[in-house]
Amino acid sequence: MWLTPEEVALKNALKLWVTEKSNDYFVLQRRRGHGDTGGKITGLLVGALDTVLDSNARVAPFRILLQVPGSQVSWVIASGATAEEVQKHWKWLDQNLLPYMSVFENKQDAASFAQGKVKGLIAEEVLGGQAALEDDPARFREVLARFEQRFGLPQQEKLVAHYSCCCWKGRVPRQGWLYLSTNHVSFYSFLLGKEVKLLVPWVEVTGLERASLGLMTDVIRVRTRQRQRDFSMFLNVDEVMTVMSQLADLALRRLLDSGGLEVDKSLQQATNVTKRVLEHQALRQYVLSLFGLPRSEKLQEVMNCSMWTPHARCHTPGKLYTTDSYMGFSSRQEGQCTLLIPLAEVQSIEKAESTSALPNPVIISVKSKKAFQLIELVQRDELVENLTDRLRALHWRQAMFRGHNQRKKSQVNRASQVVCVFQISSTPYYTFYYDGVSSEENDEVSDETLRNTVLTEALITTFQTGLSQSPNNKIMSEQLRVRVWGDHFEEFGRGVHMFRTDKIRKLVAMGIPESLRGELWLTFSDAFSSLAAHPEYYADLVSKCMGETSIATEEIERDLHRSLPEHAAFQNQTGIAALRRVLTAYAHRNPNIGYCQSMNILASVLLLYAKEEEAFWLLVTVCERMLPDYFNHRVIGAQVDQSVFEELIRERLPSLAESVPDLSPLASVSLTWFLTLFLSVLPFRSALYVLDCFFYHGIKAVFQLGLAVLDANAAELCASTDDGQALMTLTRYDDEEPCACSEEAGPAGHTHITVLISDAYEKFGDLTVRQLERMRCRHRIQVLQSHEDTTKENTLRLVSPDVSLSQEDLSGLYDLFKTEHFISLYWGDGVRTPPEPRAVSRGYTESYHVDCAQFKSLYALLAPWPCGSHTDTVAQRTFTLLDQNRQNRISFTQFARWLGAYAAASSDFNWLKNHLLNDARSMWALNCSVCLSGERKSHEEQLKQMLKDLAKEKDKGQEKPLPHMNQREFVQFCKTLCNMFHGDRAENELFQAIAMVTSLVLQIGEARHKGRTSGAEPKEGESPDQAASSVSASEGDWTASFEQILASLLTEQALVNFLERPVDLSLDAQIQELKTTSAALTDIRTGNL
């Protein structure tokens, strides 16, 4: 391998190198202890030193030095793991470089010329390899070469990062190198002659965690299903942990059935995955979660700056994050001051004059006639230019969209046959039918109107709920809160781009006024931006989807009357119809999610405090931004957060974790908190306070509130004697704690919801979004592997009754089948196909498939008999037999049944073997087609080629006769027929019939042979014996034509009946037949028959 020239002061320091070849400019050296019989101890010590110090020139046993004649300075320009590799480089230098170096008069110039050539060679290799995307391509190229040499993985295996560390075996550490690639975590060590290699696929990793090992506190523990490995002595353990978690999470998303989790487009190709890309992806995920941005947003710029905050009357230092459609500012201390500015609200971005007090200022003006000032921007010009370009492009798209809508409206107005036009206006035009109409005609009109009219007011304006407090107290409390919020708006701004500080957090904890709740939910979640960007989207969506039927609409209809049934708005068809439209529209918008339980409860609450179109966009924001992985067929996101919550309990509530080691009973309650955001476990008025906090803080609020609930009940939970008592404690607390809905204290022993929220902020307010995102990445690995174990259990449980393999063998077969499936995804062209929709009773039995090439590999490894040169064709035909759907892939169920059928009838495979082999002549033809073409053809391609050849011959009017069968081929043909008759009911009659046919054909062939021999006349100068031998050589000793064999077979009615009988070639029929045969053979062996 060519190396970047590195200066070496002494050519043979400490006598560690032996010179093999040399000339005026180059020296080829061998590491002492390599390739000779002496110096074994030296070689062992040197090898250990090489591994510890990671010096590439010393690691490789061979190297080439560039020297200047008469100087003691040399440069290492090449190294090699084998003599052949370094000899290749030496030969190139001798033929292509050395002759030109003699031209230089100055020897130093010649050495510089050689260094430039070597650097050019390295640059060419870097541009065409993985190292081109790295920060230090030359250095990474050397590491990549060692990685490929040590582990022998294909070049498609993308190396991402490497770290020096120790791997612990018991109490003994082994110093070496940890290599992290897209599909594997690998470790290599060489110490005192003992080489250690570890290669663990990411799909086998079930957990990553930080642990302590004696005095070592920064230990990374990698868990698999079989064992665990501990790694320590990292320079930056946080960085290593982050990269390992990201790679494991990426591999599991890409390879396993992740239940709807999507892989970012920038990471779908393994060749694009680098350490820098992973760092950028982690930062992007943090920014999206911090500001609640759409998942499609791409992070553009991240810059340190300071923003003028009028409420504090100073510049607050922090960071500016820009994406495709947003600008976000966050103070250095997360949560102290946050600002989100959609580019759609920006009018101009200008550079102001820079002064010593205000260096590099930028002024951002928005449509609400406000301006924001940023200073201390190092790359101000580049930032302003990029933002201006994106702003210009956004304004152009908005203009095009408005023009399209205007043309669409003009076309609708000109149309003469318009039945109904949906209108979304600020003036309500909806007629409420909730006063009970007895007329059937009026009922029909009401039903039709309800289904085809979009509400333009929140349901709470019409349907009020009964409260425990008096109306006067309620009005006074509401007016007081509205006045406080009004003062806050004057100081901090109103709308999406309002400053979010600690003061607004306290106001949210005290509860949002009902008159402002819908507006502030839209503001905090930024659903306003989606609503403004798609003004007619919801109305068009409703007009398209209403009236359609699907599985989602059936589930929606079933749950409509279960949504807040205690509230008056949903005891009436008005609320039910609005809820139906919102849920059906979202199911139509996002068919990957469709409809999931708990969405109806959330949508019901949203409709109470927001207009129907606003409630729809709030639901979109919750499902696709704030809780992106919650609403899928496996609720992966909720389970991941539940697992994170359990870790937080162990960290933040250690006394409770010690008293209740098994947290699974608590998980059954807390999982509901995450799935329904406390809406199904708290009284309605208290749940609204939780929802206020959720829209402001995101999912972090649910974590904090959940910890506060457990902390408040820690004493009772620790004193509980069984799981049932602990569950009753939490369930009772859900009912009692927030029962006082007024701002005054509740009954004795009861805690108001606002007090609980304040305690949550005070005790667990240091929980940050960055911490949650890191924990989510680690715990997602555990959740996906848990689903994988469940999938395996379901598959084995469903397959085991149909096969005779033991559970242990079947489990090993499943792992082998899955590994073969993954290999095509690692380095082949295979792409994981998403699982097909299946009934619940079938489970996830079709998660993994293998194609024909993979099946041939498994067949050669597991087939119960060797087939020699015919193994490939037998495997091809077996695969064709199993692939009944002609999709060029088979599932594990089909594979296990096939192998189980052979195991059940392992005493006699001749019938199936001969059925697959057919006869020797067709096998030879197939082999010839493979050899002549130089590439392997599938069975279908071979058949197509044969049909094409026959069609060509038919067009030419030529009919090629079949070749005659010699005596050896005829005997093999008869043996094949006998094997086909084995086990048949008329076996004896068939054997007698084939004996008669065999005798008849032999007699015909013998007579023909004698006739040809006696009728042959010797040529001139040739004896009769020579003539007979020539006939024998040209025609064969004995032959029979196809017509003669067919005529002989037709003389025996038993053979005719057997050959004309239809045979069921389906796999189930063969398995049933094998089971029957196997049972009969077993009874015969045991003497039951």
Side-chain angles (χ1 to χ4, degrees), residues 451 545-563 579-580 583-585 587-588 594-597 600:
R451 287 181 175 272
C545 66
M546 293 306 295
E548 297 183 358
T549 58
S550 63
I551 297 177
T553 57
E554 294 176 0
E555 295 176 349
I556 291 171
E557 291 295 331
R558 187 169 57 248
D559 290 345
L560 282 177
H561 296 278
R562 305 175 187 174
S563 308
L579 181 61
R580 178 188 292 112
L583 294 177
T584 304
H588 188 78
Y595 170 77
C596 296
Q597 289 187 350
N600 59 324

Side-chain angles (χ1 to χ4, degrees), residues 961-973:
L962 293 175
H964 288 199
M965 186 181 292
N966 58 34
Q967 194 171 23
R968 182 185 60 80
E969 292 173 338
F970 178 74
V971 172
Q972 182 63 34
F973 172 73

Side-chain angles (χ1 to χ4, degrees), residues 161-165 176-180 185-187 231 234 240 244:
H162 68 289
Y163 302 94
S164 175
C165 66
W177 287 90
L178 184 70
Y179 297 92
L180 305 179
V185 51
S186 316
F187 177 80
F231 302 92
F234 294 101
V240 180
M244 293 180 72

